[in-house]
Amino acid sequence: MSRVFATLFLVATLVHPAALAGLPLPNRPESVKFAVIGDNGTGDPPEYEVATQMATMRAAFRFDMVIMLGDNMYGRQQPEDFVRKFARPYAPLLDAGVRFYAALGNHDEQTNRSYEPFNMGNQRYYTYARTNVRFFVLDSNYLDPTQLAWIDGALNGAKEEWKICYFHHPLYSDGRRHGSEVELRVQLEPLFVKYRVDVVFSGHDHIYERLTPQKGIQYFVSGSAGQLRKGDVNRSAMTAASFDQDRSFMLVEIAGAELSFAAISRTGQTVDRGVIHKELTR
Amino acid sequence: MTRLARFVVDHFLALPLGVLVALVWANTRGESYFRLAGALAFVVNNVGMAFAFAFLMQEVVEAMLPGGTLHPWRRAILPVVAAAGGTLGAVSVYALYVRFADEPVLALGWPIACAVDIAVGFALARKIFRRHAAVTFLLLLIIASDAIGLVLVSQRYPVAEVHPAALALLVPAIGAAAFLRRSGVRPSLPTCWIGGTLPWLA
């Protein structure tokens, strides 16, 4: 009998779309699935190659949203640039109905918040939810008292089980070029700890890095979906995993008390993966 | 006062030494530095700086009185005009840099190009010119530049509600100061409280 079950399990595993695609994620039905890109808007071939890889992955892993960690647009930001640096590379995803939710980076014009496909509702900072996950998008370029009061209230009022924050400048980073934004950390981290934020995504450093949990919060730097600073990771005691040899993006899946993540390179190689468990309150 | 402390004061070294300590501290133990800076922000920006401004304004006002180096007003207007030209030049350079460096987020901060650090400027000027008239000229130029910057910021990017009517508080403050002076009261901390609190509130 046990052999029958074992055979059934093996067959089920093999025919599972995730296994077929060699996906590093469980790919459960009904889970919240999304992709993460940062520092992407160059309009250069590597951005297009990453976007193509994302579309390829989506064939098996049907994420319906992409979070953008800022620097969504480099250089000139005229209407034709929005086509060359955003609409064209991500056309397969946009055509499939994937929604992008952007945060502003230091290279983004403030007016970009009104660009409809970024879904920012003309706001510098905003929040939205997907089933049991609430996302908080901040403008780390200018963390004024009004924004701080807003995030305090928004985190306090969130009822969802998972709280995910994202913004451009990383509170923790081992990137040589920029590194941790300590002044920002002093202001935001107490709120994140107080309201039990689970995961924080940032860009700015053109690398991929997963930090060891800091005060119970999992931090990621994912700023190489278009730009790359090769060899920029200066590994330290807080580096859990890193990748600085090619462009990359992330795929994330949340189901119940489990968040699975994978960092995928421009060529489709899984450069990091893992699972974060949390104790659900109910 | 020890000889070292006197040397530091006489040679205006407190400020550069403080800057050096802050730089090293912020880059080695950033979290504790920014936590302290945040906690002291009000005391430094709203109390300490108020006294520093008062001290510097005293220099300018005395220079504008009869017999002073900036008397009559035609002399005083020169650094103000220079400040207007200086801010225009600084803002243009800033705008060029923002464009060249592809940092559009910094474009919003163009009024900051009008700002000149009064304390550093004064310390440098006194170090170089000692008691020369150039010091008060430079002080007025810097104050005018900062005033232009403040007006621009308050109009374009107000961080708090502006209450121009509060400037009316200056009238009783000046009245109180004039009364104390005519009464022959020597300047002291209590007189500072009377004459200084109302302008501070304004």
Side-chain angles (χ1 to χ4, degrees):
Chain A
M1 194 63 169
S2 60
R3 189 174 291 175
V4 174
F5 276 122
T7 311
L8 280 173
F9 177 75
L10 187 66
V11 170
T13 309
L14 287 175
V15 300
H16 194 279
L20 283 175
L23 270 179
L25 296 162
N27 204 9
R28 296 186 181 99
E30 310 300 321
S31 60
V32 175
K33 302 180 182 73
F34 62 95
V36 183
I37 56 174
D39 303 73
N40 53 293
T42 61
D44 295 333
E47 182 192 7
Y48 281 70
E49 288 157 17
V50 168
T52 304
Q53 191 59 247
M54 290 169 72
T56 305
M57 285 288 178
R58 192 177 177 276
F61 182 74
R62 311 283 294 180
F63 59 87
D64 63 358
M65 55 179 273
V66 177
I67 67 172
M68 304 176 77
L69 307 179
D71 286 358
N72 316 306
M73 203 72 63
Y74 285 92
R76 252 171 43 109
Q77 300 181 29
Q78 298 302 309
E80 60 271 25
D81 297 302
F82 282 87
V83 174
R84 191 170 69 83
K85 298 170 187 177
F86 179 74
R88 201 177 294 149
Y90 302 108
L93 298 175
L94 290 164
D95 293 345
V98 174
R99 288 171 73 88
F100 288 69
Y101 294 91
L104 293 174
N106 52 303
H107 289 275
D108 295 308
E109 301 269 8
Q110 287 281 313
T111 48
N112 293 358
R113 63 192 187 204
S114 62
Y115 179 55
E116 219 173 300
F118 284 174
N119 290 298
M120 299 179 74
N122 202 20
Q123 301 296 320
R124 286 171 50 219
Y125 41 90
Y126 58 102
T127 178
Y128 59 96
R130 284 283 184 284
T131 63
N132 62 335
V133 188
R134 180 156 288 277
F135 296 87
F136 303 87
V137 190
L138 298 179
D139 178 6
S140 56
N141 293 303
Y142 183 40
L143 196 64
D144 52 327
T146 317
Q147 185 177 186
L148 263 178
W150 174 83
I151 186 66
D152 193 331
L155 283 170
N156 189 25
K159 300 281 179 268
E160 289 77 8
E161 284 149 355
W162 288 88
K163 292 176 185 158
I164 294 179
C165 288
Y166 64 94
F167 44 88
H168 189 59
H169 301 85
L171 303 194
Y172 293 93
S173 168
D174 282 314
R176 278 195 181 87
R177 177 62 179 254
H178 298 299
S180 307
E181 293 284 339
V182 183
E183 191 174 3
L184 207 59
R185 187 201 297 168
V186 168
Q187 298 176 85
L188 285 176
E189 192 177 50
L191 295 175
F192 292 174
V193 172
K194 181 179 174 187
Y195 297 116
R196 298 180 177 209
V197 168
D198 301 288
V199 182
V200 175
F201 295 98
S202 298
H204 201 41
D205 271 319
H206 300 160
I207 55 170
Y208 166 77
E209 185 181 20
R210 171 164 56 93
L211 287 305
T212 54
Q214 303 291 319
K215 297 180 185 164
I217 300 165
Q218 180 64 63
Y219 290 89
F220 291 95
V221 179
S222 185
S224 54
Q227 296 277 22
L228 174 67
R229 209 162 275 128
K230 225 172 180 175
D232 194 50
V233 176
N234 182 23
R235 289 183 68 90
S236 75
M238 63 179 186
T239 315
S242 64
F243 180 66
D244 60 6
Q245 295 304 303
D246 199 354
R247 273 86 178 167
S248 65
F249 64 98
M250 291 181 71
L251 294 175
V252 181
E253 178 175 3
I254 301 174
E258 207 174 272
L259 181 151
S260 308
F261 62 88
I264 314 288
S265 78
R266 181 177 54 97
T267 56
Q269 183 198 349
T270 301
V271 295
D272 185 30
R273 61 189 290 190
V275 181
I276 298 165
H277 298 275
K278 78 170 281 168
E279 262 182 45
L280 297 184
T281 46
R282 62 181 187 193
Chain B
M1 194 185 284
T2 64
R3 283 178 65 186
L4 180 67
R6 179 155 292 285
F7 182 82
V8 167
V9 171
D10 287 349
H11 292 80
F12 295 95
L13 293 177
L15 192 67
L17 282 176
V19 169
L20 195 68
V21 169
L23 268 176
V24 173
W25 188 3
N27 284 286
T28 51
R29 294 278 183 274
E31 217 158 314
S32 61
Y33 171 80
F34 286 114
R35 203 166 288 133
L36 183 76
L40 292 180
F42 181 81
V43 177
V44 172
N45 296 340
N46 294 330
V47 180
M49 287 305 287
F51 278 102
F53 269 110
F55 169 70
L56 296 169
M57 277 310 291
Q58 183 195 351
E59 293 267 330
V60 175
V61 170
E62 282 175 0
M64 291 172 78
L65 292 174
T69 52
L70 293 175
H71 186 79
W73 66 270
R74 281 191 190 84
R75 279 191 190 167
I77 207 78
L78 183 61
V80 175
V81 173
T87 51
L88 197 67
V91 169
S92 307
V93 171
Y94 182 85
L96 277 174
Y97 168 78
V98 166
R99 194 172 174 80
F100 174 74
D102 182 24
E103 294 271 6
V105 72
L106 298 179
L108 288 173
W110 64 268
I112 204 69
C114 305
V116 183
D117 193 308
I118 294 182
V120 172
F122 181 67
L124 273 176
R126 283 293 287 268
K127 184 86 189 133
I128 297 167
F129 300 111
R130 303 285 171 185
R131 290 243 160 234
H132 193 272
V135 176
T136 44
F137 181 93
L138 189 74
L139 257 185
L140 187 54
L141 190 151
I142 293 173
I143 289 168
S145 300
D146 286 350
I148 293 170
L150 280 173
V151 169
L152 289 170
V153 169
S154 68
Q155 294 306 306
R156 289 194 60 90
Y157 311 111
V159 289
E161 219 173 316
V162 180
H163 300 284
L167 287 174
L169 290 173
L170 291 177
V171 177
I174 291 169
F179 174 75
L180 289 169
R181 191 178 168 83
R182 281 186 185 277
S183 308
V185 179
R186 290 183 62 80
S188 63
L189 203 59
T191 60
C192 278
W193 280 114
I194 296 166
T197 309
L198 290 174
W200 183 83
L201 285 171

